[in-house]
Amino acid sequence: MTTSVTAIPPAPSELARQHFAAEFTFETDCWDVHEALGKGADFVLVDVRSPAMFAKGHVPGAINLPHGKIVRSKMVEWPDDTIFVTYCAGPHCNGAARGALRFAELGRPVKIMAGGITGWLDEGFELAASETA
């Protein structure tokens, strides 16, 4: 019996290996970001949500740079080889991808933190809050 899962067969193993390995060049996950932040991150974590949302709760150590504000003039703060990791509200939000696209268009290395705030909280990690927006 064929189901909708098996009607289209899986890719050959080598093609699948290449595909899944490539995914890690585009994204990381909340657990790895948390672990890296605890060791002294070698990247800049960027919350691309609004300042008001950032103030309500964000990943500790993140900076707030809404995706619309990711512009060349802001990039002078970091060396050209700085790796940026973007996140937004979660799987239902495309802000992290919008931010990553902006960084890539500026020639900057970038990944997305899959899961965003939702994934961070699902892992049991705490958020930091700011007094002002």
Side-chain angles (χ1 to χ4, degrees), residues 85-125:
V85 175
T86 63
Y87 73 88
C88 57
H92 59 284
C93 176
N94 67 7
R98 288 179 185 273
L101 178 59
R102 299 289 289 251
F103 280 111
E105 288 172 340
L106 295 170
R108 296 308 194 103
V110 62
K111 290 185 175 192
I112 289 174
M113 182 179 82
I117 290 288
T118 301
W120 189 263
L121 292 172
D122 284 351
E123 292 288 356
F125 303 139

Side-chain angles (χ1 to χ4, degrees), residues 5-21 23:
V5 172
T6 60
I8 298 172
S13 294
E14 179 55 23
L15 186 58
R17 186 198 65 75
Q18 291 172 19
H19 169 82
F20 294 118
E23 285 187 5

Side-chain angles (χ1 to χ4, degrees), residues 41-92:
D42 53 354
F43 57 89
V44 175
L45 184 60
V46 182
D47 185 319
V48 299
R49 299 172 306 143
S50 71
M53 293 303 294
F54 181 83
K56 287 182 182 179
H58 57 271
V59 174
I63 65 166
N64 183 225
L65 188 58
H67 59 77
K69 306 248 182 203
I70 300 171
V71 295
R72 189 166 310 283
S73 62
K74 296 247 187 215
M75 296 299 101
V76 298
E77 297 179 36
W78 299 280
D80 290 345
D81 61 349
T82 300
I83 297 170
F84 295 91
V85 175
T86 63
Y87 73 88
C88 57
H92 59 284

